[in-house]
Amino acid sequence: MSTKTQATVDDLYHVPENGKAEIVNGELVLMSPTGGVPGRAAGEIFISLREYERRVGGGYAFPDNVGFIVNLPHRRSFSPDAAFFKGELRGGKFLEGAPIFAVEVRSDDDYGPAEVQMAAKRADYFAAGTLVVWDVDVLREKAVRVFRSDRPDEAKIFFAGDLAEAEPAVPGWTMAMNSLLQ
């Protein structure tokens, strides 16, 4: 009988070709690159969060492919598509703790059976201390579902023409859905 070695944070630092990965259930889960439309959406959200950071402060905006180290029974890390974080920066090291606000932008494979994994990941975010998670769908529904830790199974949905928010994680920040869902 062989024993499977658990992936470590050190393994995460050495993902081949500096790819994107998370540690889930003791395994290094590699994530493929995203397409143009979801990538641009994640970028637009980061830019808006970065402008908020510069204007208001109180945390740091992060783009895609930043590692957040957590200590859950079955998850050791997150790598959201965009995020806002209130902890300490650690030079070139991954961030310790979950972001207060996490954004997951759907790619082509994030529909159907993937919905179960996405819901589980949201639950993990909330268990790790994230207050708000955005589920951004720019490919099919052209909508943003906003989930909050105090009502994790209930989403507020924003469409083109709306101003979406991430209260209470990013107080006073809003984003025009027209700039995101075109």
Side-chain angles (χ1 to χ4, degrees), residues 115-178:
E115 298 284 344
V116 173
Q117 293 171 323
M118 293 175 68
K121 187 172 185 177
R122 276 194 309 274
D124 288 348
Y125 272 122
F126 295 141
T130 300
L131 295 180
V132 177
V133 176
W134 273 19
D135 175 353
V136 179
D137 182 354
V138 292
L139 298 176
R140 294 189 184 173
E141 288 188 337
K142 307 254 189 231
V144 173
R145 285 182 164 65
V146 179
F147 294 88
R148 292 178 174 74
S149 60
D150 62 344
R151 294 181 308 278
D153 298 321
E154 217 177 279
K156 185 169 183 182
I157 304 172
F158 295 93
F159 297 97
D162 293 338
L163 269 182
E165 43 76 23
E167 296 285 345
V170 190
W173 175 74
T174 60
M175 184 167 186
M177 291 295 92
N178 284 347

Side-chain angles (χ1 to χ4, degrees), residues 11-49:
D11 294 329
L12 204 55
Y13 278 109
H14 298 97
V15 172
E17 282 101 44
N18 298 313
K20 183 175 177 177
E22 295 178 343
I23 300 173
V24 182
N25 294 322
E27 295 182 19
L28 204 58
V29 178
L30 300 176
M31 302 167 144
S32 61
T34 192
V37 173
R40 282 187 57 83
E44 290 289 332
I45 295 166
F46 164 70
I47 289 167
S48 181
L49 286 170

Side-chain angles (χ1 to χ4, degrees), residues 30-143:
L30 300 176
M31 302 167 144
S32 61
T34 192
V37 173
R40 282 187 57 83
E44 290 289 332
I45 295 166
F46 164 70
I47 289 167
S48 181
L49 286 170
R50 179 70 170 120
E51 289 170 358
Y52 174 88
E53 174 192 330
R54 288 180 173 163
R55 192 175 65 255
V56 177
Y60 303 99
F62 286 98
D64 190 15
N65 208 21
V66 173
F68 294 83
I69 303 304
V70 297
N71 193 15
L72 296 176
H74 56 277
R75 178 182 285 276
R76 291 284 294 133
S77 70
F78 292 107
S79 185
D81 297 315
F84 199 77
F85 180 71
K86 292 195 174 191
E88 291 182 39
L89 301 182
R90 302 170 11 118
K93 300 290 184 193
F94 296 134
L95 301 168
E96 283 289 333
I100 196 128
F101 171 51
V103 176
E104 294 290 337
V105 181
R106 290 174 181 244
S107 294
D108 283 333
D109 295 335
D110 291 332
Y111 299 91
E115 298 284 344
V116 173
Q117 293 171 323
M118 293 175 68
K121 187 172 185 177
R122 276 194 309 274
D124 288 348
Y125 272 122
F126 295 141
T130 300
L131 295 180
V132 177
V133 176
W134 273 19
D135 175 353
V136 179
D137 182 354
V138 292
L139 298 176
R140 294 189 184 173
E141 288 188 337
K142 307 254 189 231

